[in-house]
């Protein structure tokens, strides 16, 4: 006689099968998608961690450039050490009574190397830069060769330049009256080097007497 399907042995087997299937279904439903960190951990196992970006020093050939294509170079302490503040004050007099230590900027472009030293004529609030219309600027431009030197087209930015004798191979002086400031400017050529000394004061300030002689004396300072 055939055994009944509801026999105790078969019932126990059926319960075991159902429990196993239910367990598999439950695990597949409750397992979530792989997170990004888990995917990275599994996919990048054994790889070294990425190095931090933007923390390395600027290397040769990767210097920043300005909007006009000038390459900005690191300034050195000696770039604006001469002439010094004390010597300049002694020459310029009262207009330079509050002369501040210089801020240096160094750049190059098309065979021309520039070092610009800006001396504020008054104290500068923390985090700010000298006011162009109230400062002394000494800029030195050195050309690699005659071809680069001719690009300067001297004298530069002078309203009424007049020759000055006794300084370098050539020199010019000019008084530039602008809307916001008055500039006393001297340019001196020495070989392939040009030194431009410019004293700018607010337009409303009283005229400074004897500036051609004073700027010439600044140019002669060691």
């Amino acid at each position: 006689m055939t055994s009944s399907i509801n026999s105790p042995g078969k019932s126990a087997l059926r319960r075991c099968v159902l429990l196993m299937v239910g367990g598999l279904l439950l695990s597949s439903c409750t397992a979530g998608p792989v997170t990004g960190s888990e995917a990275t951990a599994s996919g990048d196992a054994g790889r070294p961690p990425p190095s931090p970006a933007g923390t390395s020093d600027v290397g040769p050939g990767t210097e920043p450039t300005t909007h006009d294509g000038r390459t900005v170079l690191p300034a050195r302490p000696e770039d604006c050490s001469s002439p010094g503040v004390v010597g300049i004050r002694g020459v310029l007099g009262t207009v330079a009574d509050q002369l501040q230590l210089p801020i240096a900027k160094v750049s190059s472009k098309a065979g021309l190397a520039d070092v610009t030293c800006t001396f504020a004529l008054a104290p500068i609030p923390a985090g700010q830069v000298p006011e162009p219309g109230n400062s002394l600027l000494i800029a030195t431009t050195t050309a690699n060769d005659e071809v680069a030197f001719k690009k300067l087209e001297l004298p530069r930015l002078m309203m009424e330049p007049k020759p000055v004798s006794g300084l370098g191979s050539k020199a010019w002086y000019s008084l530039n009256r602008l809307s916001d400031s008055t500039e006393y400017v001297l340019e001196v050529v020495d070989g392939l080097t040009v030194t431009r000394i410019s004293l700018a004061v607010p337009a409303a300030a009283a005229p400074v007497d004897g500036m051609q002689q004073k700027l010439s004396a600044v140019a002669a300072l060691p």
Side-chain angles (χ1 to χ4, degrees), residues 147-191:
V147 175
F149 183 81
K150 290 180 179 179
K151 297 176 183 177
L152 294 174
E153 298 182 356
L154 301 173
R156 300 168 294 178
L157 301 176
M158 290 186 171
M159 289 185 172
E160 295 182 1
K162 61 179 182 179
V164 176
S165 59
L167 290 175
S169 55
K170 289 182 180 180
W172 302 268
Y173 173 80
S174 176
L175 174 61
N176 296 341
R177 297 188 183 278
L178 309 178
S179 59
D180 297 328
S181 63
T182 300
E183 295 179 349
Y184 304 88
V185 186
L186 175 72
E187 273 197 328
V188 181
V189 179
D190 185 7

Short mmCIF file of all heavy atoms in Angstrom, two decimals, residues 147-191:
data_model
loop_
_atom_site.label_atom_id
_atom_site.label_comp_id
_atom_site.label_asym_id
_atom_site.label_seq_id
_atom_site.Cartn_x
_atom_site.Cartn_y
_atom_site.Cartn_z
N VAL A 147 67.68 93.00 -29.41
CA VAL A 147 66.36 92.81 -30.01
C VAL A 147 65.26 93.01 -28.97
O VAL A 147 64.28 93.71 -29.20
CB VAL A 147 66.25 91.41 -30.66
CG1 VAL A 147 64.83 91.15 -31.17
CG2 VAL A 147 67.26 91.27 -31.79
N ALA A 148 65.44 92.39 -27.81
CA ALA A 148 64.46 92.54 -26.74
C ALA A 148 64.45 93.98 -26.22
O ALA A 148 63.40 94.53 -25.90
CB ALA A 148 64.76 91.57 -25.60
N PHE A 149 65.63 94.60 -26.15
CA PHE A 149 65.73 95.97 -25.64
C PHE A 149 64.92 96.95 -26.49
O PHE A 149 64.27 97.86 -25.96
CB PHE A 149 67.19 96.40 -25.58
CG PHE A 149 67.42 97.75 -24.99
CD1 PHE A 149 67.45 97.93 -23.62
CD2 PHE A 149 67.59 98.87 -25.81
CE1 PHE A 149 67.65 99.18 -23.06
CE2 PHE A 149 67.79 100.12 -25.26
CZ PHE A 149 67.83 100.29 -23.89
N LYS A 150 64.94 96.77 -27.80
CA LYS A 150 64.23 97.69 -28.68
C LYS A 150 62.72 97.63 -28.49
O LYS A 150 62.00 98.57 -28.85
CB LYS A 150 64.58 97.38 -30.14
CG LYS A 150 66.02 97.75 -30.50
CD LYS A 150 66.33 97.42 -31.96
CE LYS A 150 67.77 97.81 -32.31
NZ LYS A 150 68.09 97.47 -33.72
N LYS A 151 62.22 96.54 -27.92
CA LYS A 151 60.79 96.42 -27.68
C LYS A 151 60.29 97.41 -26.62
O LYS A 151 59.09 97.68 -26.54
CB LYS A 151 60.45 94.99 -27.23
CG LYS A 151 60.75 93.92 -28.26
CD LYS A 151 60.48 92.53 -27.68
CE LYS A 151 60.86 91.44 -28.66
NZ LYS A 151 60.66 90.07 -28.07
N LEU A 152 61.21 97.97 -25.84
CA LEU A 152 60.81 98.88 -24.77
C LEU A 152 60.29 100.21 -25.31
O LEU A 152 59.48 100.87 -24.66
CB LEU A 152 61.99 99.12 -23.83
CG LEU A 152 62.46 97.91 -23.02
CD1 LEU A 152 63.72 98.24 -22.23
CD2 LEU A 152 61.36 97.43 -22.09
N GLU A 153 60.81 100.64 -26.46
CA GLU A 153 60.37 101.90 -27.08
C GLU A 153 60.44 103.06 -26.08
O GLU A 153 59.45 103.69 -25.72
CB GLU A 153 58.95 101.75 -27.63
CG GLU A 153 58.84 100.71 -28.73
CD GLU A 153 57.43 100.61 -29.29
OE1 GLU A 153 56.52 101.29 -28.78
OE2 GLU A 153 57.25 99.86 -30.26
N LEU A 154 61.64 103.33 -25.64
CA LEU A 154 61.89 104.39 -24.65
C LEU A 154 61.76 105.78 -25.25
O LEU A 154 61.99 105.97 -26.43
CB LEU A 154 63.30 104.19 -24.06
CG LEU A 154 63.54 102.85 -23.39
CD1 LEU A 154 65.01 102.72 -23.02
CD2 LEU A 154 62.66 102.69 -22.17
N PRO A 155 61.43 106.78 -24.42
CA PRO A 155 60.98 106.69 -23.02
C PRO A 155 59.53 106.21 -22.95
O PRO A 155 58.76 106.39 -23.88
CB PRO A 155 61.12 108.12 -22.51
CG PRO A 155 60.91 108.96 -23.73
CD PRO A 155 61.49 108.19 -24.87
N ARG A 156 59.17 105.62 -21.82
CA ARG A 156 57.85 105.00 -21.68
C ARG A 156 56.94 105.84 -20.79
O ARG A 156 57.34 106.33 -19.75
CB ARG A 156 57.99 103.60 -21.07
CG ARG A 156 58.83 102.64 -21.87
CD ARG A 156 59.16 101.39 -21.07
NE ARG A 156 60.03 101.69 -19.94
CZ ARG A 156 60.44 100.79 -19.05
NH1 ARG A 156 60.06 99.53 -19.16
NH2 ARG A 156 61.23 101.14 -18.06
N LEU A 157 55.68 105.94 -21.20
CA LEU A 157 54.63 106.55 -20.40
C LEU A 157 55.06 107.88 -19.78
O LEU A 157 54.97 108.09 -18.57
CB LEU A 157 54.19 105.58 -19.30
CG LEU A 157 53.65 104.22 -19.78
CD1 LEU A 157 53.35 103.33 -18.60
CD2 LEU A 157 52.42 104.41 -20.64
N MET A 158 55.51 108.78 -20.63
CA MET A 158 55.89 110.12 -20.19
C MET A 158 55.14 111.13 -21.04
O MET A 158 55.14 111.04 -22.26
CB MET A 158 57.40 110.33 -20.32
CG MET A 158 58.24 109.55 -19.33
SD MET A 158 60.00 109.98 -19.45
CE MET A 158 60.67 109.14 -18.02
N MET A 159 54.50 112.11 -20.39
CA MET A 159 53.72 113.09 -21.12
C MET A 159 54.60 114.06 -21.90
O MET A 159 54.36 114.33 -23.08
CB MET A 159 52.81 113.84 -20.14
CG MET A 159 51.67 113.00 -19.59
SD MET A 159 50.55 113.97 -18.56
CE MET A 159 49.23 112.77 -18.29
N GLU A 160 55.61 114.59 -21.25
CA GLU A 160 56.52 115.54 -21.91
C GLU A 160 57.95 115.22 -21.48
O GLU A 160 58.55 115.95 -20.69
CB GLU A 160 56.16 116.98 -21.57
CG GLU A 160 54.78 117.41 -22.09
CD GLU A 160 54.49 118.86 -21.76
OE1 GLU A 160 55.35 119.55 -21.15
OE2 GLU A 160 53.39 119.32 -22.10
N PRO A 161 58.49 114.11 -21.99
CA PRO A 161 59.85 113.72 -21.56
C PRO A 161 60.91 114.71 -22.05
O PRO A 161 60.86 115.19 -23.18
CB PRO A 161 60.03 112.35 -22.22
CG PRO A 161 59.12 112.38 -23.41
CD PRO A 161 57.93 113.18 -22.99
N LYS A 162 61.84 115.00 -21.16
CA LYS A 162 62.97 115.84 -21.55
C LYS A 162 64.27 115.14 -21.15
O LYS A 162 64.34 114.50 -20.09
CB LYS A 162 62.88 117.22 -20.93
CG LYS A 162 62.88 117.25 -19.42
CD LYS A 162 62.81 118.69 -18.92
CE LYS A 162 62.87 118.77 -17.40
NZ LYS A 162 62.82 120.18 -16.93
N PRO A 163 65.30 115.23 -21.99
CA PRO A 163 66.55 114.54 -21.70
C PRO A 163 67.21 115.06 -20.43
O PRO A 163 67.11 116.23 -20.08
CB PRO A 163 67.43 114.84 -22.93
CG PRO A 163 66.46 115.22 -23.99
CD PRO A 163 65.33 115.90 -23.29
N VAL A 164 67.87 114.15 -19.73
CA VAL A 164 68.62 114.49 -18.51
C VAL A 164 70.06 114.05 -18.73
O VAL A 164 70.32 112.90 -19.12
CB VAL A 164 68.02 113.79 -17.28
CG1 VAL A 164 68.86 114.08 -16.04
CG2 VAL A 164 66.58 114.21 -17.06
N SER A 165 70.98 114.93 -18.49
CA SER A 165 72.39 114.60 -18.70
C SER A 165 73.02 114.11 -17.40
O SER A 165 72.53 114.40 -16.29
CB SER A 165 73.15 115.83 -19.21
OG SER A 165 73.05 116.89 -18.28
N GLY A 166 74.12 113.38 -17.54
CA GLY A 166 74.88 112.94 -16.38
C GLY A 166 74.39 111.65 -15.74
O GLY A 166 74.92 111.25 -14.70
N LEU A 167 73.40 111.00 -16.35
CA LEU A 167 72.88 109.73 -15.81
C LEU A 167 72.89 108.67 -16.91
O LEU A 167 72.23 108.83 -17.95
CB LEU A 167 71.46 109.91 -15.29
CG LEU A 167 71.27 110.74 -14.02
CD1 LEU A 167 69.78 110.91 -13.74
CD2 LEU A 167 71.97 110.11 -12.83
N GLY A 168 73.63 107.58 -16.68
CA GLY A 168 73.66 106.47 -17.62
C GLY A 168 74.05 106.92 -19.02
O GLY A 168 74.69 107.96 -19.22
N SER A 169 73.65 106.11 -20.01
CA SER A 169 73.91 106.48 -21.40
C SER A 169 72.81 107.39 -21.94
O SER A 169 73.04 108.21 -22.83
CB SER A 169 74.02 105.23 -22.27
OG SER A 169 72.85 104.42 -22.13
N LYS A 170 71.59 107.26 -21.38
CA LYS A 170 70.47 108.12 -21.72
C LYS A 170 69.57 108.22 -20.50
O LYS A 170 69.49 107.29 -19.69
CB LYS A 170 69.65 107.57 -22.90
CG LYS A 170 70.33 107.64 -24.24
CD LYS A 170 69.39 107.12 -25.33
CE LYS A 170 70.06 107.17 -26.68
NZ LYS A 170 69.15 106.65 -27.76
N ALA A 171 68.87 109.34 -20.39
CA ALA A 171 67.92 109.50 -19.29
C ALA A 171 66.88 110.55 -19.67
O ALA A 171 67.16 111.46 -20.45
CB ALA A 171 68.64 109.91 -18.00
N TRP A 172 65.67 110.39 -19.10
CA TRP A 172 64.58 111.33 -19.36
C TRP A 172 63.83 111.59 -18.06
O TRP A 172 63.76 110.73 -17.18
CB TRP A 172 63.58 110.77 -20.38
CG TRP A 172 64.15 110.42 -21.71
CD1 TRP A 172 64.24 111.21 -22.83
CD2 TRP A 172 64.70 109.15 -22.10
NE1 TRP A 172 64.80 110.53 -23.87
CE2 TRP A 172 65.11 109.25 -23.45
CE3 TRP A 172 64.90 107.94 -21.43
CZ2 TRP A 172 65.67 108.21 -24.14
CZ3 TRP A 172 65.48 106.90 -22.11
CH2 TRP A 172 65.86 107.04 -23.45
N TYR A 173 63.25 112.80 -18.00
CA TYR A 173 62.42 113.16 -16.84
C TYR A 173 61.11 113.72 -17.35
O TYR A 173 61.05 114.40 -18.39
CB TYR A 173 63.13 114.20 -15.97
CG TYR A 173 62.25 114.73 -14.86
CD1 TYR A 173 62.06 114.00 -13.69
CD2 TYR A 173 61.60 115.96 -14.99
CE1 TYR A 173 61.25 114.48 -12.67
CE2 TYR A 173 60.78 116.45 -13.97
CZ TYR A 173 60.61 115.70 -12.83
OH TYR A 173 59.80 116.18 -11.83
N SER A 174 60.02 113.44 -16.61
CA SER A 174 58.71 113.94 -17.01
C SER A 174 57.82 114.16 -15.79
O SER A 174 57.97 113.47 -14.77
CB SER A 174 58.02 112.97 -17.97
OG SER A 174 56.72 113.40 -18.29
N LEU A 175 56.92 115.13 -15.92
CA LEU A 175 55.88 115.35 -14.92
C LEU A 175 54.55 114.94 -15.55
O LEU A 175 54.10 115.57 -16.52
CB LEU A 175 55.83 116.82 -14.50
CG LEU A 175 54.70 117.24 -13.56
CD1 LEU A 175 54.80 116.50 -12.24
CD2 LEU A 175 54.73 118.75 -13.34
N ASN A 176 53.95 113.87 -15.04
CA ASN A 176 52.68 113.37 -15.57
C ASN A 176 51.54 113.80 -14.65
O ASN A 176 51.48 113.39 -13.49
CB ASN A 176 52.70 111.83 -15.66
CG ASN A 176 53.72 111.32 -16.64
OD1 ASN A 176 54.19 112.05 -17.51
ND2 ASN A 176 54.09 110.06 -16.52
N ARG A 177 50.65 114.63 -15.17
CA ARG A 177 49.49 115.06 -14.39
C ARG A 177 48.29 114.21 -14.80
O ARG A 177 47.78 114.34 -15.91
CB ARG A 177 49.21 116.55 -14.63
CG ARG A 177 50.35 117.46 -14.18
CD ARG A 177 49.94 118.92 -14.24
NE ARG A 177 51.04 119.80 -13.88
CZ ARG A 177 51.38 120.10 -12.63
NH1 ARG A 177 50.71 119.59 -11.61
NH2 ARG A 177 52.40 120.91 -12.38
N LEU A 178 47.86 113.35 -13.89
CA LEU A 178 46.74 112.46 -14.14
C LEU A 178 45.52 112.94 -13.36
O LEU A 178 45.60 113.87 -12.56
CB LEU A 178 47.11 111.03 -13.73
CG LEU A 178 48.43 110.50 -14.31
CD1 LEU A 178 48.71 109.10 -13.79
CD2 LEU A 178 48.42 110.53 -15.83
N SER A 179 44.38 112.30 -13.60
CA SER A 179 43.15 112.74 -12.94
C SER A 179 43.19 112.53 -11.43
O SER A 179 42.68 113.34 -10.66
CB SER A 179 41.95 112.01 -13.55
OG SER A 179 42.11 110.60 -13.39
N ASP A 180 43.82 111.43 -10.99
CA ASP A 180 43.83 111.10 -9.56
C ASP A 180 45.17 111.33 -8.88
O ASP A 180 45.25 111.31 -7.65
CB ASP A 180 43.42 109.64 -9.35
CG ASP A 180 41.99 109.36 -9.81
OD1 ASP A 180 41.16 110.28 -9.70
OD2 ASP A 180 41.72 108.24 -10.27
N SER A 181 46.22 111.52 -9.67
CA SER A 181 47.55 111.64 -9.07
C SER A 181 48.48 112.46 -9.97
O SER A 181 48.20 112.69 -11.14
CB SER A 181 48.16 110.25 -8.82
OG SER A 181 48.35 109.57 -10.05
N THR A 182 49.58 112.86 -9.36
CA THR A 182 50.66 113.53 -10.09
C THR A 182 51.89 112.65 -9.98
O THR A 182 52.27 112.24 -8.88
CB THR A 182 50.96 114.92 -9.51
OG1 THR A 182 49.78 115.72 -9.59
CG2 THR A 182 52.08 115.59 -10.27
N GLU A 183 52.53 112.37 -11.12
CA GLU A 183 53.69 111.49 -11.15
C GLU A 183 54.94 112.26 -11.58
O GLU A 183 54.93 112.95 -12.59
CB GLU A 183 53.47 110.33 -12.12
CG GLU A 183 52.35 109.37 -11.74
CD GLU A 183 52.18 108.27 -12.76
OE1 GLU A 183 52.77 108.36 -13.86
OE2 GLU A 183 51.45 107.32 -12.46
N TYR A 184 55.99 112.07 -10.81
CA TYR A 184 57.31 112.60 -11.16
C TYR A 184 58.13 111.38 -11.60
O TYR A 184 58.38 110.47 -10.79
CB TYR A 184 57.95 113.29 -9.96
CG TYR A 184 57.10 114.39 -9.36
CD1 TYR A 184 56.15 114.11 -8.37
CD2 TYR A 184 57.25 115.72 -9.78
CE1 TYR A 184 55.37 115.12 -7.82
CE2 TYR A 184 56.46 116.74 -9.23
CZ TYR A 184 55.53 116.43 -8.25
OH TYR A 184 54.74 117.43 -7.71
N VAL A 185 58.55 111.36 -12.87
CA VAL A 185 59.11 110.13 -13.43
C VAL A 185 60.51 110.37 -14.00
O VAL A 185 60.74 111.36 -14.73
CB VAL A 185 58.21 109.57 -14.55
CG1 VAL A 185 58.74 108.22 -15.03
CG2 VAL A 185 56.78 109.43 -14.05
N LEU A 186 61.42 109.45 -13.69
CA LEU A 186 62.77 109.47 -14.25
C LEU A 186 63.09 108.09 -14.80
O LEU A 186 62.88 107.08 -14.12
CB LEU A 186 63.79 109.84 -13.16
CG LEU A 186 65.26 109.80 -13.57
CD1 LEU A 186 65.60 110.96 -14.51
CD2 LEU A 186 66.17 109.84 -12.34
N GLU A 187 63.59 108.03 -16.04
CA GLU A 187 64.05 106.77 -16.63
C GLU A 187 65.51 106.90 -17.01
O GLU A 187 65.90 107.88 -17.66
CB GLU A 187 63.23 106.40 -17.88
CG GLU A 187 61.97 105.62 -17.55
CD GLU A 187 61.39 104.92 -18.77
OE1 GLU A 187 61.52 105.44 -19.90
OE2 GLU A 187 60.79 103.84 -18.58
N VAL A 188 66.30 105.89 -16.61
CA VAL A 188 67.74 105.91 -16.86
C VAL A 188 68.15 104.62 -17.55
O VAL A 188 67.79 103.52 -17.11
CB VAL A 188 68.53 106.05 -15.54
CG1 VAL A 188 70.03 106.10 -15.83
CG2 VAL A 188 68.09 107.30 -14.78
N VAL A 189 68.90 104.76 -18.66
CA VAL A 189 69.38 103.61 -19.42
C VAL A 189 70.85 103.36 -19.08
O VAL A 189 71.67 104.29 -19.10
CB VAL A 189 69.24 103.84 -20.94
CG1 VAL A 189 69.78 102.65 -21.71
CG2 VAL A 189 67.79 104.11 -21.30
N ASP A 190 71.18 102.13 -18.77
CA ASP A 190 72.56 101.72 -18.51
C ASP A 190 72.79 100.39 -19.21
O ASP A 190 72.44 99.33 -18.68
CB ASP A 190 72.81 101.61 -17.01
CG ASP A 190 74.26 101.31 -16.67
OD1 ASP A 190 75.10 101.30 -17.60
OD2 ASP A 190 74.56 101.07 -15.48
N GLY A 191 73.36 100.44 -20.40
CA GLY A 191 73.54 99.22 -21.19
C GLY A 191 72.19 98.67 -21.63
O GLY A 191 71.40 99.36 -22.28
#
